[in-house]
Amino acid sequence: MMRKDWLLITHVVVLLSILVGALWAFTYFSGAALQQFCVIVVAVVAHIVWGAIYHSLSNRLTVGLLLEYILIGALVLLLFSWTLFS
Amino acid sequence: MVKRVLKAGRKRFWHFCLKNACFILPYPERGTRARLLKNSSLSAYVLVLIIFQLYVYHLSPQILGFATNIIVSDLYQETNEKRIEAGVAPLEVDSRLEQAALAKAQDMFSKDYWAHYAPDGSTTPWQFIISAGYTYKFAGENLARGFDTSVSVVEAWMASPSHRANLLADCYQNIGIAVVNGDLLGKETTLVVQMFGTLQPVVVPETSEPVSSAPSSTLPSDVAGTSGSPAETPAAAEPEPEPASVVGPSEVAISQPAALTDVVVSPLARVARVVNPVSSPKVIPLGFGFMLMGLFALDELAMLRGGLTREEMRRTGENIAHVSLLGLLMVLVLLTKTGGVL
């Protein structure tokens, strides 16, 4: 139970770090579309990698679950590139 | 009769809702998500988005349309309001500077560049001003593209220190603006060219010695990071102004695309712009983001109402992770500026 709590806290902290880091980097590269796109790519990769680690630690990692994270990441990238490069 | 029809309609509606509820509602007891959130559905979204983006931007660029609300008179008014607020004298509109701005915009479209100087070195902003018959003492240029409204253009210039310095410089007396639609770098674009200037005074020599007064020209990049007025910053290289008789205003080439003195759109066109996902690049990402976030929120609610732990329920990703990433997407989409200034 203790381990689960720590895992959940770590999960939230990592997600928040990804969000805050991406927001900061995005505003830092304001006006530079390519760098901003790189920022969101890094955030998406971090989201997928951390998702895999988190589910692996909680013994729930499956191929389908990993695919779900990859698909959500791909959607976010496609939607963001729509705005950035249109 | 009417009651019976209404009752039948209601029955059909609820039957339809129950039959299709699985698309948006999860079934925690079965360990499944809503059908619209399954991996097969997510794959379909990805595929559709890829095909749609390829179609819109590579196969059918001509379907893009203009629907901006940039009004030249508003740009003049906004500019002068900013100057008055800053305690600087307002500028007078000069038709020669307007012609120069129009010629510059047409040159950018015809040679397909986004810069103050043509990449092949064939033209400079000052050539357009001189060619229009405006013999300047001071001159400057601001550019903008990809904006929807007059206010957003002026606000973008004011937000940039170098453009702001140009816009508020007290050495300028005249202004000319052109708003032109065309195809720039493979994209339909509304270009705004703002030219500033002060005429070279006519000097009547009282002595036998000639009076020299070198002209000064300023681009936003020249004054970047400085607080001085453009007049204090020497231009790197600009042509000597020639007599106004060299090329008259009538000789300025006027070709397509034509300038839009008032790019006004009807209320219907404004609505169409908001609704049209192609002309408003934020609509689809925001709409899609909201839809997915709503579905994930429903999924989380169903889990909470079920009173089961995640381990007991199913093997799916964490909703909080997906919602946070989608939330990030939406914030970044809102923060993204679609226009640019130079």
Side-chain angles (χ1 to χ4, degrees):
Chain A
M1 188 65 191
M2 195 69 161
R3 187 172 176 273
K4 271 185 186 173
D5 288 346
W6 273 110
L7 194 58
L8 189 65
I9 291 167
T10 313
H11 184 52
V12 172
V13 168
V14 171
L15 287 178
L16 276 176
S17 305
I18 293 172
L19 287 185
V20 173
L23 265 175
W24 177 82
F26 190 85
T27 46
Y28 180 81
F29 291 116
S30 179
L34 196 63
Q35 281 89 333
Q36 286 183 325
F37 186 69
C38 290
V39 168
I40 195 91
V41 168
V42 170
V44 164
V45 170
H47 168 259
I48 295 168
V49 170
W50 172 247
I53 293 171
Y54 174 74
H55 287 280
S56 175
L57 288 173
S58 54
N59 298 318
R60 289 194 293 146
L61 185 63
T62 61
V63 176
L65 198 146
L66 191 62
L67 185 65
E68 181 183 313
Y69 275 85
I70 291 171
L71 286 170
I72 293 283
L75 266 178
V76 166
L77 279 181
L78 281 169
L79 291 170
F80 188 67
S81 64
W82 184 290
T83 299
L84 206 57
F85 300 117
S86 61
Chain B
M1 178 69 183
V2 177
K3 268 187 180 179
R4 205 182 306 158
V5 170
L6 279 173
K7 196 178 174 184
R10 208 181 307 150
K11 200 175 172 184
R12 276 187 188 177
F13 175 73
W14 283 115
H15 180 70
F16 175 81
C17 288
L18 288 171
K19 197 179 170 186
N20 297 291
C22 56
F23 281 98
I24 53 170
L25 291 176
Y27 289 92
E29 63 277 6
R30 288 189 218 159
T32 57
R33 273 201 164 134
R35 280 192 188 177
L36 291 176
L37 284 182
K38 285 190 170 180
N39 281 358
S40 52
S41 300
L42 295 176
S43 307
Y45 304 150
V46 170
L47 200 65
V48 167
L49 274 174
I50 289 172
I51 292 169
F52 195 50
Q53 286 199 16
L54 280 174
Y55 173 73
V56 168
Y57 297 115
H58 297 285
L59 303 176
S60 183
Q62 69 275 11
I63 69 169
L64 291 169
F66 296 111
T68 57
N69 196 24
I70 300 174
I71 302 167
V72 174
S73 55
D74 281 356
L75 288 171
Y76 287 129
Q77 192 183 334
E78 285 285 327
T79 302
N80 277 335
E81 276 176 13
K82 297 291 178 195
R83 287 178 69 88
I84 291 165
E85 280 172 23
V88 188
L91 300 166
E92 281 180 27
V93 178
D94 189 289
S95 61
R96 290 164 294 183
L97 287 179
E98 284 185 321
Q99 285 171 359
L102 172 61
K104 170 61 190 272
Q106 287 166 344
D107 190 62
M108 288 170 77
F109 280 122
S110 63
K111 292 177 185 163
D112 205 23
Y113 69 93
W114 167 241
H116 290 292
Y117 296 90
D120 59 4
S122 59
T123 50
T124 70
W126 326 125
Q127 284 174 341
F128 296 109
I129 296 176
I130 295 163
S131 298
Y134 190 96
T135 309
Y136 66 87
K137 183 181 180 188
F138 301 110
E141 180 189 73
N142 280 347
L143 303 174
R145 68 168 178 177
F147 290 94
D148 295 342
T149 61
S150 315
V151 175
S152 60
V153 172
V154 177
E155 277 178 358
W157 280 331
M158 289 299 285
S160 157
S162 53
H163 295 86
R164 181 189 166 91
N166 230 358
L167 203 141
L168 300 180
D170 59 0
C171 62
Y172 297 135
Q173 292 173 353
N174 302 119
I175 186 172
I177 294 175
V179 180
V180 187
N181 280 340
D183 194 307
L184 189 74
L185 303 169
K187 220 157 73 169
E188 288 197 359
T189 309
T190 300
L191 262 182
V192 182
V193 180
Q194 187 181 43
M195 295 273 196
F196 303 100
T198 298
L199 281 167
Q200 184 84 270
V202 179
V203 180
V204 181
E206 292 177 355
T207 61
S208 57
E209 287 186 14
V211 178
S212 66
S213 176
S216 175
S217 51
T218 311
L219 298 173
S221 54
D222 296 333
V223 291
T226 65
S227 57
S229 71
E232 294 162 358
T233 313
E238 79 275 356
E240 281 288 320
E242 295 165 29
S245 58
V246 174
V247 181
S250 59
E251 294 174 59
V252 176
I254 306 293
S255 57
Q256 288 298 323
L260 307 168
T261 49
D262 277 337
V263 188
V264 189
V265 288
S266 65
L268 193 65
R270 285 184 206 177
V271 173
R273 178 169 176 77
V274 173
V275 175
N276 181 2
V278 176
S279 62
S280 183
K282 294 184 180 182
V283 170
I284 281 189
L286 289 177
F288 220 88
F290 268 122
M291 184 197 84
L292 288 177
M293 281 177 81
L295 288 173
F296 280 120
L298 270 176
D299 191 70
E300 193 66 29
L301 273 175
M303 281 207 318
L304 291 173
R305 284 193 71 182
L308 301 169
T309 62
R310 281 192 174 79
E311 287 79 6
E312 288 168 327
M313 287 169 60
R314 61 181 171 223
R315 291 180 175 273
T316 57
E318 291 286 331
N319 288 335
I320 186 173
H322 298 329
V323 168
S324 65
L325 191 68
L326 289 166
L328 176 72
L329 164 78
M330 293 168 81
V331 171
L332 297 188
V333 164
L334 287 170
L335 284 176
T336 302
K337 291 171 186 168
T338 51
V341 293
L342 192 68

